Amino acid sequence: FVRKDRSNDSGHGGCGILISKNIKFKIYEHKDMLFPTDRIEAIWIHLTDPNIYLCCFYRSEQFCPLDSFLDYMTECMMKMGGKRIIWLGDVNVDQNNINSLNYKKLDVTMRLFGMVQVVQEMTRIAKLGNILTQSTIDVVITNMYSMFLLCKVLNSRIGDHQAIKIVLDFNVDKCSKFKKVIIRDHCKHNLKTLKQFLTQCCDYSALLESNNVNSVADGLLSHLKTCYEQFCPTKQIKCHSNYIDNPSKELLQNISLKHKLWKKIAAHRRKNHSTVQPQTPCIKCDALWKAYTIQRNHTTKLSRENKRTNIVKELQAKSAANDLRGVWKTIKKASNLPTKGNNTDSNLDPEETNKFFVSIGTEIQTEASRFKQQADFKDYLEPKKKKVPTATLR
């Protein structure tokens, strides 16, 4: 629960956001505001997955004048540029009284930044003496209306205010899936044991006494293959999408250097800027960040070149082996083309599809014969234009 109480400790006002623990968010703060914010009751959070900035606010007519709130809204929208923003809260301006001056001021500010007010029903029902009043003072203002699937007022009440429910349509980037790969276990212990077995525990006298070179080569190759499969068994690993297959020595050195530069930046920030932000730009921070970005870009370039080289080598090897299926598989992999097994979105019924193709021929023939009897093809030809005689003057 994120909350902001009123600054004068009056026990009134304030606002808060109750957020599910399954939602990733960060508290967002506007710094270096031109207008005073001591009477602004608002909380900003950044929903990181859909990349939406949400402002929950409460504007009291006695505590915060409308002009001050609109100045705050204007400055926030100008600072945040074209980001996706939702304002929700109690603005204390009735959206049904379109002739009031306060409504017109709010409407002008919304139109200035391409925002609309989404709530269209009554949100507050109150009784003043013997009069029952209804108004829409709880609003949802946004510049991303195209992503709204639903906005309605619920029957549930919080005090004298109705609850509002909104449903948004957005895509959340899922974490990359790990691909399962089967490899040989080439750990140091296995390689050391294999080397020790081949040098100390194997008897090669029968191969040395043989006079047939081909049989000796086949026997030695079979022996080495059997020992290799025994001492280096297969194992299954999970390969991330950012996994670099067969990296070059130069690429590994640049990746290590990039990580070292990043650690230098983090260590410098922890040591010098952990508690107090610098008033002036830090020269060392700028220098370290510039060196890191140069190294990061160079590493990305080397990674792409390494991937391109590996694909070319793989194509050359499969072409030399006349493996056409493997060549096309490599081309699809390099082009990021979908495989046959990925098409799972089809909702076609095979029985209905077969019936359609079996009966479509006879239906077309029947329709064509009926159409032939009723219409003449000449009816669809454009009428010939009559030639108008022209006279020439001499």
Side-chain angles (χ1 to χ4, degrees):
F1 183 69
V2 183
R3 59 186 294 174
K4 181 177 182 180
D5 298 328
R6 185 168 289 184
S7 57
N8 59 5
D9 297 330
S10 62
H12 301 282
C15 57
I17 307 176
L18 183 62
I19 310 171
S20 171
K21 63 180 181 181
N22 298 323
I23 297 178
K24 297 179 181 179
F25 74 97
K26 294 181 180 178
I27 298 177
Y28 186 82
E29 294 183 1
H30 292 281
K31 298 179 180 180
D32 302 328
M33 299 291 288
L34 298 177
F35 294 96
T37 60
D38 54 338
R39 291 186 173 272
I40 301 297
E41 298 173 280
I43 301 174
W44 284 87
I45 62 171
H46 178 210
L47 304 177
T48 54
D49 284 339
N51 193 20
I52 295 174
Y53 291 83
L54 182 69
C55 176
C56 175
F57 67 90
Y58 171 64
R59 190 196 74 85
S60 174
E61 193 67 40
Q62 291 76 22
F63 185 73
C64 178
L66 181 62
D67 292 339
S68 300
F69 180 78
L70 294 181
D71 291 339
Y72 173 77
M73 176 182 282
T74 302
E75 187 173 358
C76 290
M77 295 300 296
M78 293 180 65
K79 282 180 173 292
M80 304 189 73
K83 293 182 173 62
R84 296 186 291 189
I85 300 171
I86 300 177
W87 297 74
L88 54 92
D90 184 356
V91 73
N92 267 309
V93 176
D94 190 5
Q95 301 300 297
N96 300 315
N97 189 7
I98 61 176
N99 295 321
S100 68
L101 181 60
N102 287 345
Y103 175 85
K104 292 179 180 180
K105 289 181 180 180
L106 179 61
D107 186 62
V108 169
T109 305
M110 290 192 300
R111 290 175 182 272
L112 184 63
F113 298 101
M115 298 190 295
V116 294
Q117 201 285 114
V118 184
V119 181
Q120 302 297 327
E121 303 175 46
M122 300 296 177
T123 61
R124 184 174 183 266
I125 302 174
K127 191 174 183 181
L128 298 177
N130 297 325
I131 302 175
L132 189 66
T133 61
Q134 297 181 355
S135 59
T136 305
I137 59 176
D138 303 293
V139 296
V140 177
I141 304 172
T142 181
N143 61 353
M144 42 172 280
Y145 180 68
S146 59
M147 299 178 64
F148 275 65
L149 295 179
L150 174 68
C151 180
K152 68 176 183 178
V153 178
L154 305 179
N155 292 327
S156 303
R157 301 182 66 181
I158 304 175
D160 56 353
H161 293 259
Q162 303 290 125
I164 301 174
K165 177 183 179 181
I166 61 174
V167 180
L168 302 179
D169 178 25
F170 54 83
N171 296 323
V172 177
D173 295 332
K174 297 182 179 179
C175 60
S176 303
K177 293 184 178 180
F178 289 90
K179 181 175 65 175
K180 295 181 180 180
V181 181
I182 297 177
I183 62 171
R184 290 284 176 181
D185 189 1
H186 292 159
C187 66
K188 292 182 179 180
H189 174 73
N190 291 348
L191 294 178
K192 184 178 179 180
T193 307
L194 175 62
K195 181 180 179 180
Q196 184 178 0
F197 179 79
L198 292 175
T199 54
Q200 300 178 8
C201 304
C202 295
D203 185 11
Y204 300 102
S205 58
L207 297 176
L208 296 175
E209 294 174 359
S210 177
N211 296 324
N212 192 345
V213 178
N214 292 331
S215 61
V216 170
D218 293 340
L220 183 60
L221 182 62
S222 176
H223 175 68
L224 292 175
K225 183 178 179 181
T226 304
C227 296
Y228 172 71
E229 293 177 351
Q230 182 178 357
F231 287 95
C232 297
T234 59
K235 69 175 183 179
Q236 189 180 71
I237 63 172
K238 292 182 178 180
C239 175
H240 196 266
S241 59
N242 295 331
Y243 171 74
I244 303 174
D245 185 25
N246 194 17
S248 62
K249 188 175 181 180
E250 183 184 6
L251 177 59
L252 292 176
Q253 291 175 352
N254 280 272
I255 292 175
S256 177
L257 180 58
K258 184 186 76 169
H259 290 165
K260 289 180 181 178
L261 289 174
W262 176 253
K263 288 180 180 179
K264 282 186 177 180
I265 294 174
H268 176 73
R269 288 178 178 175
R270 283 195 304 267
K271 184 178 180 181
N272 301 297
H273 313 307
S274 58
T275 57
V276 180
Q277 294 293 330
Q279 299 295 331
T280 58
C282 180
I283 299 177
K284 189 171 182 180
C285 280
D286 295 342
L288 289 174
W289 179 252
K290 186 176 181 180
Y292 170 76
T293 53
I294 293 173
Q295 182 61 34
R296 180 193 61 188
N297 296 339
H298 182 59
T299 304
T300 303
K301 183 179 179 181
L302 288 178
S303 177
R304 292 172 180 171
E305 292 178 356
N306 184 83
K307 184 178 180 180
R308 191 181 302 111
T309 304
N310 291 338
I311 291 173
V312 171
K313 289 181 179 179
E314 189 175 349
L315 287 174
Q316 291 175 349
K318 291 181 179 179
S319 299
N322 199 20
D323 184 9
L324 296 180
R325 180 177 294 180
V327 169
W328 281 109
K329 187 176 181 181
T330 303
I331 292 174
K332 287 183 178 180
K333 179 183 176 182
S335 305
N336 293 325
L337 295 176
T339 58
K340 293 181 178 179
N342 291 339
N343 189 13
T344 59
D345 297 331
S346 179
N347 296 321
L348 294 177
D349 186 5
E351 294 294 334
E352 295 293 334
T353 306
N354 291 336
K355 288 180 181 179
F356 172 77
F357 284 108
V358 167
S359 60
I360 189 63
T362 56
E363 292 179 3
I364 292 176
Q365 184 178 4
T366 305
E367 189 70 19
S369 60
R370 184 179 61 81
F371 178 76
K372 184 178 180 181
Q373 296 174 1
Q374 295 178 355
D376 189 5
F377 74 94
K378 294 181 180 180
D379 297 337
Y380 296 91
L381 297 178
E382 294 182 359
K384 293 183 178 180
K385 296 181 179 180
K386 295 181 180 181
K387 293 184 178 180
V388 179
T390 58
T392 57
L393 297 176
R394 293 184 179 181

